[in-house]
Amino acid sequence: MLLNKVLVSGQVSGRIVEVEAYRGLDDPASHAFRGQTKRNRTMFGPAGHLYVYFTYGMHYCANVVCGHEGEPQAVLVRALAPLGGLEEMRVRRPAARVESDLCSGPARLCQALGIGRSYDGVDLLDLTSPVQLCDDGLSSPKEILVGTRVGLSQRVGEASTWPWRFAVPGDPNLSRPVVAVEGQFRLMSTEVRLMSTEG
DNA sequence: TTTCGGATTCACT
DNA sequence: GTGAATCCGAAAT
């Protein structure tokens, strides 16, 4: 469970409030779907490392590798709640007008944290790494929002309806509203897996 | 070697 | 709500 964990880069830090899962070889929306390439090789490595990729000719996005070696599973970090180093974030993201603009998007949070291509493959659990994943004691949310993943092209077919987007309910830093899956549930209790269709 | 399209953001209407 | 910016990786030629 990555929600409520803290991502730290130098003096800058933020709490993870929104993620998406990408499963790998059997997930057509995953970069790893067509096998290992030079670009996605980090996903095939050990868990706990950072997979950074470049997209749309101008943006970086950061994933946490989750599967064992050879199993290309990763979780895209889509939004953070800014915790520390707010000033540095604003310097890096002059377009941000309010605090919730700083990290509310996969490419935005990379900007705010200064994450670029050179960060691809770093060990998030190594205290000497430029980016680290920390647990500050706050437990995982009791309930989480569940919805479909964002920005997938039509070509991935059914995978665009898989409810693999997870977020902290009500957090002001979410990158966009969570869209419920037709016939499925939007709010899920992490305790009993009881669900609600509210909202 | 060329072509295609993207796990997006921002400025503008 | 709409469209532009912008360039790299992968597949096709």
Side-chain angles (χ1 to χ4, degrees), chain A residues 22-109:
Chain A
Y22 287 86
R23 195 163 57 181
L25 298 177
D26 55 352
D27 178 0
S30 169
H31 288 167
F33 181 58
R34 292 168 210 285
Q36 184 170 351
T37 65
K38 184 180 173 185
R39 177 203 201 187
N40 65 24
R41 67 191 142 76
T42 302
M43 287 181 83
F44 288 79
H49 287 241
L50 191 67
Y51 166 46
V52 178
Y53 67 87
F54 185 74
T55 190
Y56 289 104
M58 61 189 83
H59 294 301
Y60 292 99
C61 297
N63 301 246
V64 178
V65 178
C66 295
H68 293 105
E69 258 187 276
E71 295 176 18
Q73 302 180 359
V75 171
L76 170 68
V77 182
R78 286 195 56 87
L80 303 177
L83 286 181
L86 283 269
E87 284 310 310
E88 195 167 345
M89 287 188 186
R90 291 196 185 92
V91 170
R92 287 172 175 157
R93 287 194 34 73
R97 299 226 161 269
V98 296
E99 184 175 317
S100 60
D101 283 341
L102 289 172
C103 298
S104 55
R108 291 177 175 183
L109 68 91

Side-chain angles (χ1 to χ4, degrees), chain A residues 1 141-146 185-196:
Chain A
M1 169 65 76
K142 287 184 187 148
E143 290 185 321
I144 56 179
L145 288 174
V146 180
F185 306 100
R186 180 165 176 273
L187 191 61
M188 177 168 73
S189 164
T190 54
E191 304 267 322
V192 292
R193 298 195 165 256
L194 225 178
M195 305 177 180
S196 160

Side-chain angles (χ1 to χ4, degrees), chain A residues 154-183:
Chain A
Q154 300 300 321
R155 63 199 308 114
V156 305
E158 182 197 336
S160 65
T161 69
W162 295 349
W164 288 356
R165 178 170 176 230
F166 308 101
V168 177
D171 192 281
N173 299 283
L174 300 192
S175 59
R176 50 180 57 183
V178 175
V179 179
V181 186
E182 185 78 26

Side-chain angles (χ1 to χ4, degrees), chain A residues 102-179:
Chain A
L102 289 172
C103 298
S104 55
R108 291 177 175 183
L109 68 91
C110 283
Q111 261 188 12
L113 268 58
I115 293 175
R117 184 190 307 288
S118 64
Y119 287 63
D120 183 36
V122 306
D123 185 351
L124 290 168
L125 305 181
D126 184 339
L127 294 180
T128 66
S129 294
V131 187
Q132 293 159 37
L133 185 63
C134 304
D135 185 338
D136 69 346
L138 185 66
S139 57
S140 302
K142 287 184 187 148
E143 290 185 321
I144 56 179
L145 288 174
V146 180
T148 55
R149 294 178 289 183
V150 174
L152 305 187
S153 68
Q154 300 300 321
R155 63 199 308 114
V156 305
E158 182 197 336
S160 65
T161 69
W162 295 349
W164 288 356
R165 178 170 176 230
F166 308 101
V168 177
D171 192 281
N173 299 283
L174 300 192
S175 59
R176 50 180 57 183
V178 175
V179 179

